[in-house]
Amino acid sequence: MGARIDLNCDLGEGLDDWVPGVDGPESRLLDVVTSANVACGFHAGDDRVMAAVCRAAAERGVAVGAQVSYRDRAGFGRRFLDVPPVVLRADVVEQVRALRRAAAAAGTRVSYVKPHGALYNAVVHHAEQATAVVDAVVEASDGDPLPLVGLPGAIVLDVARDRGLRPVREAFADRGYRADGTLVPRTEPGALVVDPDEVVARVLAMARDGRITSVDGTLVPADAESVCVHSDTPGAVVLAAAVRHALDQAGVAVGPFV
């Protein structure tokens, strides 16, 4: 991490009622983060929620990103699906364009794309799906190339760079890492980090040294332009606020990467 870092969060996933005048946890997260990864209807959300999140983000000057997923609402997009590349490409295009319509109506724009859940993890190493996602982002960008967010070392970031998209490296404040730099599966111990002091220490270590400690004690490279706090992590609002405060106090400028 350099002197500037983005703080992002997955939003529009059902933790807020998104009723005008009612602030739920996702609304409060928008007061802290600088980028909002908005669910596009395939793992969570719908047209109404997308519109509400985009309006709330626009009011706060928070960048809007399309959080694209497998077509898997029942599994919240956290199950790997062996989707044919042509189908995956069409699904991602559909999601990005749906959010672009909602963002435009709210007076803002989609500024980047980030895969969600199992798709995010798959495109770290699954070349066919990584290529399908990148092809979809190129198509849905309509001549205005959108940056693509992913895990450092992921195949999808290499493919994105080759296709003329800006690859954005991401780190996680609230997720455990394996020694190879991938995330600990949510079904295994150590997958979530929920203690505010530990989360803050991890993020400051990323900012200071560009490294994070894995669950087995290995120091893993974590040079990233954006750091994520998940909205469904227990205490997410407290965690995000603590991270934001710590970065501000450390003199790290917090702002969107776009």
Side-chain angles (χ1 to χ4, degrees), residues 1 10 31 40 53 55 73 84 96 112-113 137 151 162 170 179 184 207 211 223:
M1 294 183 184
D10 302 342
D31 292 329
C40 299
V53 179
R55 284 194 299 270
R73 291 183 73 92
V96 175
Y112 63 93
V113 177
V137 174
L151 202 66
D162 291 343
E170 179 181 39
V184 176
R211 296 188 296 181
D223 182 23

Side-chain angles (χ1 to χ4, degrees), residues 68-134:
V68 297
S69 170
Y70 294 125
R71 192 185 291 270
D72 180 29
R73 291 183 73 92
F76 198 64
R78 287 180 174 160
R79 302 179 294 190
F80 171 74
L81 300 181
D82 193 12
V83 183
V86 65
V87 174
L88 181 58
R89 173 175 176 165
D91 284 349
V92 172
V93 169
E94 180 180 339
Q95 292 174 81
V96 175
R97 287 184 171 162
L99 187 63
R100 292 188 75 167
R101 291 191 295 271
T108 186
R109 63 187 293 271
V110 173
S111 296
Y112 63 93
V113 177
K114 174 185 170 179
H116 163 78
L119 180 59
Y120 185 98
N121 292 320
V123 297
V124 170
H125 54 77
H126 195 301
E128 284 190 343
Q129 291 201 355
T131 300
V133 168
V134 171

